Amino acid sequence: MPSVGLYFGVYSYSKRTLGPILHRSIPTTTNNNKSNLPKTLTIALSAAIGNTVASFSRVPYEVVKQKLQTGEYTHTFGALSSMMKSPNPLASFFPMGGVSAQMARDIPYAIITLLSYEYLRDHWVQVVEERRGGVVSPWRNMVTGGLAGGIGSYLTNPMDVIKTRLQMQTTDVVKYAGVWDCARLTLEEDSAMAFLRGSVPRLMHKIPANAVFFVAYEMFRQLLRVEDAVATAKDTNAN
């Protein structure tokens, strides 16, 4: 939960800051054709910045969770206590390649998910809302969020496999030297299908989680009257 708040806080701030800059710097029309490049870059860069910051807070949680799921420890307190008492506590919570693997999964996931979400909202949800006189449709936000989360989850599953393998290494047994080494050995030892392992459970988690999240996200944006910085910058340039 803290990492999600941190991520969307940084994402929203970056969007408000970068949106006007990119809209001033990049032409919004090319050969009389409307360009979505400023908006696309704003979303992608803001998602990357937000997830870069949040990834550092996610690694310790992910490592402890995986150790509990694999049966290495039976309860959370025992895991935390044992890892803190290890010869190198920092390496226990931040294993070699763990942060880079987390970022290599989370940043593309965030970019793909948010670009998919914004695209579906622009070309489906908002079109329908405008036809109906601005009436908000929560179920469409739910479907859009679920689809976006599913697309992002499936396309980044290979990096989730690599992240898990790197973070499951112990300080005593280090099999992979880093992200690229882990990807190479996984391909050589287990074939390309290994990169899709766990995709179904991950989709079963990510689709409903994103569906609920984005409904709440849009609801609170309306309640708090939070204006989209990208849309504001676009309107400013049009005037």
Side-chain angles (χ1 to χ4, degrees), residues 129-173:
E129 288 179 357
E130 286 172 6
R131 283 180 193 161
R132 298 189 173 185
V135 177
V136 178
S137 178
W139 78 264
R140 285 190 175 84
N141 287 331
M142 182 176 289
V143 172
T144 300
L147 283 172
I151 293 168
S153 178
Y154 191 76
L155 292 179
T156 58
N157 201 76
M159 288 314 306
D160 188 59
V161 172
I162 292 170
K163 176 197 74 72
T164 301
R165 293 189 177 206
L166 283 169
Q167 291 181 346
M168 284 305 297
Q169 293 186 123
T170 64
T171 52
D172 300 324
V173 182

Side-chain angles (χ1 to χ4, degrees), residues 31 44 46 63 77 82 108 137 139-140 173 180 198-199 201 207 212 219:
N31 297 327
S46 300
V63 171
F77 180 77
S82 177
S137 178
W139 78 264
R140 285 190 175 84
V173 182
W180 292 112
S199 59
I207 289 175
V212 173
M219 181 184 73

Side-chain angles (χ1 to χ4, degrees), residues 3 6 51-67 80 83 89-106 163-164 166-169:
S3 67
L6 181 63
N51 244 303
T52 298
V53 175
S55 287
F56 284 92
S57 68
R58 291 190 185 118
V59 172
Y61 158 76
E62 289 284 339
V63 171
V64 173
K65 181 191 75 173
Q66 287 157 8
K67 288 181 181 294
L80 293 173
M83 292 167 73
L90 188 63
S92 295
F93 288 100
F94 293 91
M96 182 181 292
V99 175
S100 59
Q102 188 83 32
M103 291 170 65
R105 182 201 68 171
D106 288 350
K163 176 197 74 72
T164 301
L166 283 169
Q167 291 181 346
M168 284 305 297
Q169 293 186 123

